[in-house]
Amino acid sequence: MYRLLADAAMVAHFAFLLYLALGGFVAWRWRRTLWAHLAVVAWGVLSVVTGVECPLTHVEDWARRSAGQQGLTAGGFIDHYIEGVVYPEEYTNLARLGVTVLILFSYAGYVLRRQ
């Protein structure tokens, strides 16, 4: 049961990050989702600026350890699954910039589509 919970937290975390990057484009079709995306972006900025960890990170780490598996690395979800796996660690700021540009582009498109 703990492993299932850990896997569910991991999938939810990946879905959250996918929505963070692409949710602005979803708002092009479903306008009401813009508010949810703004909240997700606010959380993402808060976590990058202040270093506060996502509760999903704690849930997954606890569940993995309770299942007898290795927990997440000290840096959390991003350090464990993304940095050094999807892109080299030295490109973290470039990856953040890319996501920021993607979000800003999606918001610009949202505004243009509304006019």
Side-chain angles (χ1 to χ4, degrees):
M1 212 47 197
Y2 289 117
R3 183 172 177 206
L4 182 62
L5 179 61
D7 290 346
M10 177 189 61
V11 168
H13 220 150
F14 273 115
F16 181 89
L17 292 176
L18 187 64
Y19 187 67
L20 171 70
L22 302 175
F25 296 105
V26 173
W28 289 14
R29 174 73 172 98
W30 295 288
R31 292 181 182 171
R32 291 183 190 154
T33 64
L34 182 65
W35 295 108
H37 190 254
L38 286 169
V40 167
V41 168
W43 177 261
V45 169
L46 178 71
S47 68
V48 167
V49 171
T50 66
V52 66
E53 286 190 16
C54 180
L56 288 171
T57 300
H58 294 291
V59 169
E60 181 184 355
D61 187 56
W62 169 80
R64 292 224 181 273
R65 291 179 192 281
S66 297
Q69 297 178 327
Q70 178 183 357
L72 298 180
T73 55
F77 181 85
I78 298 292
D79 288 347
H80 191 83
Y81 292 109
I82 308 291
E83 287 182 352
V85 177
V86 176
Y87 57 83
E89 204 171 318
E90 59 267 14
Y91 293 116
T92 297
N93 288 332
L94 186 61
R96 288 176 179 168
L97 177 63
V99 170
T100 302
V101 167
L102 194 60
I103 292 168
L104 292 175
F105 179 77
S106 72
Y107 285 174
Y110 176 85
V111 169
L112 290 174
R113 289 178 59 92
R114 294 247 3 219
Q115 294 178 350

